[in-house]
Amino acid sequence: MSSGLTWLKHLRRRRGRQVVSQAVRMYEFHRTPFEKIVDNILDQLLRYDARFTFPTVASVAPQKPEVLGKIIGAGCEVAVHGYRHLKYSLLSPADQKRDLAAALSMYRQMNVQVSGFRAPYNAYGKDTPEILNDVGLLWDGGIGYSRQYNEGTEMFRVPLAGGQSNFVCIPLSRWSDDLMIDEYHYGVAQMVAVMKRELDKARSSGSMVMFDLHPIRMGQPQYAGALGEIVSYGKGIGGWFPTVSEAVRFRQGREDWGDHEFCCLLTGDIDNFYFLDYLRRLA
Ligand SMILES: [Zn+2]
């Protein structure tokens, strides 16, 4: 860890205490190898026949192709989370296009089929929707995080110069793992209570809810059980837990959830597999 410690010192000089305490927390989380993190999540899901969608930074994907293979083998989905973990809202349209193209090309090379996108930090530039539309993706999972949309209960398309986006957007609940764990310091019981409440809301309106639950936190032994509890509860009240692509395809041209009362989309971004890559991103 000596190179990690050097980075931490560098960060403390440059970015201050809060960034450093978050980095220490991430260091602790990264002591669980990512293989184990993903296994912990998949174990919980498979017990209840539920799916999870993992928007993953494409430049790190080749570090662990076997993890991606396991995700896909479990019937789950990999989506695009940028080629690098950059704020699209700060990039020129040309740079956004380049980053997105590099990500798509990487997944093509790896033979990983991707149909969806979530921008790093849920940060979109005003040109980003047009750029996404041009590459023909099926869905976006981050535009729906903005205040304007995050209380919504239905998929939607965004207005573009020529009409509406071809891709579908999904409201993204503000109740993310980082909000509950890092910001509010919730324990597992509180997290489960909040997510059950959101499932109840989706059920009562026959609609949907999408969560962003980063594997680096939710795949830890102390949190993975919460995932199982949520899915078990949700299934008990008639919920469907498909991948995002499954849900989007199912919903096209209809207003119900078939045999189910409502739909819950479990998603979680993979920003990096290794702690050093996390630190490099901050510096
Ligand atoms: Zn991210």
Side-chain angles (χ1 to χ4, degrees), residues 68-84:
L68 270 58
K70 210 173 221 184
I71 287 170
I72 295 161
C76 293
E77 178 174 8
V78 174
V80 180
H81 193 44
Y83 180 73
R84 288 186 294 152

Side-chain angles (χ1 to χ4, degrees), residues 247-262:
V248 169
R249 290 201 175 99
F250 182 86
R251 194 69 168 176
Q252 274 170 5
R254 61 192 295 169
E255 291 184 351
D256 65 339
W257 292 107
D259 296 337
H260 299 93
E261 303 287 333
F262 69 101

